[in-house]
Amino acid sequence: GVITGRAIGEIHCAEPSIVEGSNEFLTKLFNTQQLSDLIKEKLTWSINSKDSLSKTYKEWLTSSLVKVLRRYSNAIDLASSDRVLLHGDCKPSNIKKSNIQDRAVVFDWEFSFVGPRLVDIGHFLRWGVSDHFIGQFTSHYQKVTGVDLSRKFQVAKLIDLVNLSFQLAKSIDGSEREKDILN
């Protein structure tokens, strides 16, 4: 958590060499003040694209998620204005501890872009980390960035639903991947 918090914090504090980042599609996608509407739109689209899901399940899933999004819409929309350089594929397998020093080596930069900081945080949280890790991560991220994430994790997870929507839409109907994403 210590090394990862510092590494992601340093990325988020870096001045991007390209104004919009390297992934123009993602930059434009997240370049909205109404991020909560974007999440609803992409979720509805991805759920309705799945032929393997019953109409009743699609309706229940969509309405349940929309209720949660409505409850958090102000916090989600506020988070969209906090724009930084993002890694874009922020997961444990792309962040490794250096053997040479107490630092991280960050891999897989092809999805980097400028967008809301909570995009990277939500993506990372999706991979499941312990409470101890989260505590260390939050503390060291704040030391680097000055930003306290401790009350923003739920919003970060909701923002990650945009990424999960694309993963769901391209998953094979009835596959284990589809089931994992829906879970």
Side-chain angles (χ1 to χ4, degrees):
V2 172
I3 292 170
T4 304
R6 282 195 313 235
I8 295 174
E10 288 173 10
I11 292 166
H12 290 177
C13 285
E15 190 67 35
S17 59
I18 303 170
V19 175
E20 294 298 329
S22 66
N23 193 317
E24 195 172 323
F25 170 76
L26 289 172
T27 298
K28 287 180 181 175
L29 180 69
F30 283 101
N31 192 15
T32 175
Q33 288 298 95
Q34 299 301 314
L35 188 52
S36 58
D37 290 340
L38 172 71
I39 297 168
K40 286 182 226 173
E41 174 192 324
K42 295 306 174 193
L43 274 171
T44 302
W45 162 75
S46 65
I47 291 168
N48 288 327
S49 73
K50 302 308 295 177
D51 293 333
S52 60
L53 305 178
S54 71
K55 181 180 177 187
T56 305
Y57 181 66
K58 288 179 186 183
E59 289 170 357
W60 172 82
L61 185 57
T62 303
S63 69
S64 297
L65 290 168
V66 166
K67 284 178 191 173
V68 172
L69 290 169
R70 198 173 296 129
R71 192 168 93 204
Y72 287 93
S73 65
N74 289 338
I76 292 168
D77 294 339
L78 181 61
S80 68
S81 64
D82 185 18
R83 302 172 65 76
V84 297
L85 175 65
L86 298 172
H87 180 269
D89 194 12
C90 195
K91 59 187 177 184
S93 62
N94 286 336
I95 302 171
K96 301 291 182 198
K97 184 176 185 252
S98 169
N99 291 332
I100 300 169
Q101 50 185 294
D102 196 27
R103 301 198 48 90
V105 178
V106 182
F107 300 94
D108 208 7
W109 284 87
E110 76 266 17
F111 296 115
S112 65
F113 67 104
V114 174
R117 96 176 50 244
L118 293 183
V119 171
D120 270 352
I121 304 303
H123 190 146
F124 193 85
L125 292 173
R126 180 190 329 157
W127 299 94
V129 291
S130 71
D131 289 341
H132 176 73
F133 181 96
I134 290 291
Q136 293 294 315
F137 172 87
T138 303
S139 171
H140 287 83
Y141 183 91
Q142 186 171 3
K143 285 179 184 176
V144 173
T145 64
V147 175
D148 182 7
L149 294 173
S150 60
R151 303 188 87 192
K152 298 180 180 180
F153 290 132
Q154 185 64 34
V155 172
K157 290 176 182 179
L158 291 170
I159 291 171
D160 189 48
L161 290 173
V162 174
N163 293 323
L164 283 173
S165 295
F166 287 108
Q167 296 298 319
L168 178 62
K170 69 181 187 179
S171 67
I172 297 169
D173 283 349
S175 68
E176 289 302 313
R177 181 177 186 172
E178 178 188 74
K179 291 175 191 170
D180 286 343
I181 293 167
L182 289 168
N183 284 332

